Amino acid sequence: DEEMQDRVKRHRAERGTEWTTVEAPLTLPEAIDEHARQDRVILADCLTLWVSNLLLELQDPVKVEDRIPHLVNAVRSAPGSIILVSNEVGCGVVPDNRLARRFRDLAGSANQAIAAAAERVVWVVAGIPVHVK
């Protein structure tokens, strides 16, 4: 929607022209496979948006869950550094509707799988980095 397009524009402007932006709303593992290089850092922003996009597109939590190992494999096999930004959506009240609960569960599954595969995990709370792993 228009508000999300404005967010993307703001992010691009904040990053400057030295960044290359790749839009991969449904194909994050494939984008990592394609663009990863030993001398390149990939910043994927964000994992929870990817999960949300998949859930809305596929309309099936099982199919979304099946895509998570593809992302883990892409991250594990990528040369160079991969930084994945994600939102921790499991720290609040359990949502009152089915779609939001499915999203929360899937985001948690994706976060856990990526964290298990990652060398480092940093949780940022109020702008303060907390080193988890």
Side-chain angles (χ1 to χ4, degrees):
D1 63 17
E2 189 175 323
E3 186 268 337
M4 181 57 85
Q5 291 173 357
D6 288 342
R7 283 177 176 262
V8 171
K9 287 177 187 175
R10 269 197 323 272
H11 277 276
R12 285 182 181 166
E14 289 170 358
R15 290 187 180 133
T17 58
E18 61 273 3
W19 288 81
T20 301
T21 300
V22 176
E23 299 288 338
L26 300 170
T27 57
L28 181 55
E30 295 81 1
I32 290 171
D33 287 340
E34 181 181 344
H35 295 281
R37 304 283 183 278
Q38 186 62 43
D39 61 345
R40 183 180 290 168
V41 175
I42 292 178
L43 171 63
D45 188 3
C46 82
L47 180 58
T48 43
L49 187 55
W50 177 70
V51 169
S52 175
N53 289 341
L54 287 174
L55 184 56
L56 293 173
E57 177 73 18
L58 301 174
Q59 298 289 314
D60 182 349
V62 174
K63 289 180 181 178
V64 176
E65 190 86 37
D66 289 345
R67 293 289 295 146
I68 295 170
H70 296 281
L71 179 60
V72 170
N73 290 337
V75 169
R76 279 189 175 144
S77 65
S81 297
I82 310 293
I83 300 168
L84 283 165
V85 176
S86 188
N87 299 293
E88 178 51 72
V89 297
C91 290
V93 175
V94 175
D96 67 347
N97 68 79
R98 185 176 184 181
L99 178 60
R101 286 191 303 273
R102 283 182 170 173
F103 166 72
R104 176 184 157 144
D105 292 346
L106 288 166
S109 294
N111 284 343
Q112 289 175 33
I114 289 297
E119 290 178 22
R120 286 188 291 167
V121 177
V122 180
W123 186 29
V124 180
V125 180
I128 300 169
V130 179
H131 297 269
V132 177
K133 175 181 172 183

